[in-house]
Amino acid sequence: MHELSIAMSMVEMATEEAAQQGGAQVRALHLRLGKLSGVVKEALLFSWEIACEGTPLAGSQLVIEEVSVAVYCPVCRTERELASIQHFFCPVCQAATPEVVRGKELQVVALEITEDHQGVIL
Ligand SMILES: [Zn+2]
């Protein structure tokens, strides 16, 4: 399962980070997930629990912020958000918009650790 290997590598990364913070307990990991990332949110949440089992991250939470898809419209010369990821057309002028500006993210943005009750921005 694609999502499981992603979850496992995130758990590994967070475990290392927590160890560097003097063995702090990770409470949550915040992730930005684009709708074009090819990763299914529900599957990733499910995989996270499996990946955390038996690690120092057991019981931690995966917080996913979904990122909608934005494209650059060459006609309007600006960014447009797409209502649907099936149709890559500008919602305003209907021009074809092959250039994706946002929406492919799979990015860890923060770790919440308990020791000092503050998040670490990576
Ligand atoms: Zn346009």
Side-chain angles (χ1 to χ4, degrees):
M1 197 159 111
H2 180 53
E3 280 79 6
L4 185 57
S5 62
I6 293 168
M8 287 173 82
S9 64
M10 289 194 301
V11 167
E12 199 175 306
M13 185 278 294
T15 305
E16 276 174 27
E17 184 64 32
Q20 280 181 13
Q21 302 285 326
Q25 180 71 38
V26 175
R27 284 182 57 197
L29 182 144
H30 292 250
L31 181 74
R32 280 167 64 83
L33 184 64
K35 290 188 175 165
L36 287 178
S37 63
V39 175
V40 180
K41 182 183 171 186
E42 289 71 24
L44 189 58
L45 286 169
F46 180 70
S47 299
W48 178 256
E49 284 186 26
I50 297 171
C52 284
E53 258 174 47
T55 78
L57 266 78
S60 68
Q61 210 190 347
L62 178 62
V63 182
I64 296 178
E65 179 200 340
E66 280 189 291
V67 181
S68 59
V69 179
V71 293
Y72 180 78
C73 176
V75 177
C76 303
R77 293 173 185 274
T78 188
E79 264 183 46
R80 299 283 186 205
E81 279 207 1
L82 290 188
S84 158
I85 61 169
Q86 316 298 332
H87 305 287
F88 283 76
F89 295 100
C90 173
V92 176
C93 72
Q94 310 302 321
T97 52
E99 194 184 331
V100 175
V101 180
R102 203 161 54 237
K104 291 179 177 172
E105 289 83 355
L106 180 63
Q107 184 189 9
V108 177
V109 285
L111 276 180
E112 272 178 48
I113 56 179
T114 51
E115 205 172 50
D116 55 5
H117 299 281
Q118 279 176 6
V120 177
I121 305 300
L122 298 177

